[in-house]
């Protein structure tokens, strides 16, 4: 079934694609934006998530200018930031980064902020920030060693993926679970439907 309203997802994250598919939404185009995600000096984690999601959405809007196939599209971007206090944890690419993050998260609470930014077909910009509090159990050396060996930490903010083995580390979660996975579904669908994107027709006609 074809729909008039097109959706461009300014991300290449398989997790975000899977989460949207869970609620019957398949982006018409994936446009991952390769931006410098380095925090600015003294930048708060919430502010970083807000800034990066907006920059990704705006970069995608610039990239589709002059493309007739993209006319009338909604552009959705998101960025997830994991922090302990004001300390922002990186998206881990090296095993020592992941090890450091897991030792820091062990036995304590941290916050996961996801900024979502929607640019509508008439170029309105809408943003939301979703905040989830997560507490890990105290991780043993064996927990960390074998989790690192699993490779599930690679490329993940904070060095873990809650939808995998690391789900067993969580002793308490306050807020949106899908936010920690990478895209808060309730807030995202609310944003889309509030701007005229027909999510319910997709449920019925999927």
């Amino acid at each position: 079934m074809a729909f008039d309203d097109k959706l461009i997802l300014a991300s290449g994250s398989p997790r975000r694609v899977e989460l949207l598919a869970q609620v019957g939404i398949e982006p018409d185009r994936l446009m991952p934006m390769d931006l410098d995600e380095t925090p600015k000096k003294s930048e708060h984690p919430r502010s970083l998530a807000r800034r990066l999601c907006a920059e990704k959405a705006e970069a995608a809007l610039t990239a589709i200018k002059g493309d007739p196939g993209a006319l009338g599209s909604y552009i959705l971007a998101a960025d997830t930031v994991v922090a302990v206090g004001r300390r922002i944890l990186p998206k881990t690419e090296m095993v020592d980064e992941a090890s450091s993050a897991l030792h820091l998260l062990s036995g304590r609470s941290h916050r996961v902020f996801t900024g979502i930014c929607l640019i509508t077909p008439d170029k309105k910009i809408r943003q939301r920030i979703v905040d989830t509090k997560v507490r890990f159990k105290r991780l043993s050396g064996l927990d960390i060693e074998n989790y690192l060996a699993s490779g599930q930490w690679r490329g993940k903010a904070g060095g873990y993926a809650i939808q995998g083995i690391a789900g067993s580390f969580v002793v308490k979660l306050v807020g949106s679970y899908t936010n920690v996975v990478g895209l808060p579904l309730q807030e995202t669908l609310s944003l889309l439907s509030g701007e005229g994107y027909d999510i319910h027709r997709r449920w019925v006609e999927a």
Side-chain angles (χ1 to χ4, degrees):
M1 176 63 66
F3 297 97
D4 294 334
D5 43 0
K6 298 175 184 176
L7 178 65
I8 294 172
L9 180 62
S11 172
S13 165
R15 295 173 298 285
R16 292 186 178 126
V17 172
E18 289 165 6
L19 285 167
L20 288 172
Q22 181 180 320
V23 290
I25 296 175
E26 182 180 350
D28 296 276
R29 189 183 300 186
L30 299 181
M31 294 185 65
M33 295 291 108
D34 186 18
L35 303 179
D36 181 1
E37 299 186 7
T38 305
K40 295 181 179 178
K41 186 176 181 181
S42 302
E43 189 168 27
H44 189 279
R46 179 185 293 271
S47 300
L48 176 64
R50 178 183 294 277
R51 175 174 65 83
L52 290 179
C53 72
E55 288 180 357
K56 290 176 181 179
E58 289 164 1
L61 179 63
T62 299
I64 64 170
K65 282 183 178 175
D67 181 353
L71 286 175
S73 295
Y74 291 80
I75 299 173
L76 178 67
D79 193 83
T80 300
V81 174
V82 175
V84 176
R86 292 182 64 97
R87 179 174 175 180
I88 296 168
L89 302 188
K91 290 179 181 175
T92 51
E93 300 296 344
M94 305 296 291
V95 70
D96 59 335
E97 293 176 326
S99 177
S100 176
L102 291 169
H103 279 94
L104 181 64
L105 297 176
S106 175
R108 67 194 303 177
S109 294
H110 62 278
R111 302 185 92 104
V112 180
F113 300 92
T114 298
I116 48 178
C117 182
L118 179 69
I119 300 181
T120 68
D122 57 358
K123 308 299 187 293
K124 287 190 294 184
I125 297 175
R126 297 287 183 261
Q127 280 190 270
R128 289 193 186 173
I129 303 294
V130 181
D131 175 5
T132 301
K133 188 176 181 179
V134 184
R135 183 174 182 85
F136 271 15
K137 71 172 186 174
R138 187 167 298 281
L139 302 176
S140 68
L142 197 59
D143 286 331
I144 293 175
E145 179 183 346
N146 284 281
Y147 187 69
L148 293 174
S150 78
Q152 290 189 9
W153 51 269
R154 196 175 300 279
K156 305 299 191 300
Y160 75 94
I162 197 172
Q163 69 273 26
I165 295 166
S168 67
F169 300 163
V170 177
V171 295
K172 188 175 183 181
L173 185 149
V174 180
S176 168
Y177 169 81
T178 55
N179 177 46
V180 185
V181 180
L183 188 69
L185 284 178
Q186 188 276 323
E187 294 83 358
T188 299
L189 266 62
S190 175
L191 203 59
L192 284 164
S193 62
E195 295 300 331
Y197 185 86
D198 193 345
I199 60 171
H200 295 110
R201 202 170 104 200
R202 287 167 167 78
W203 296 357
V204 174
E205 300 181 6

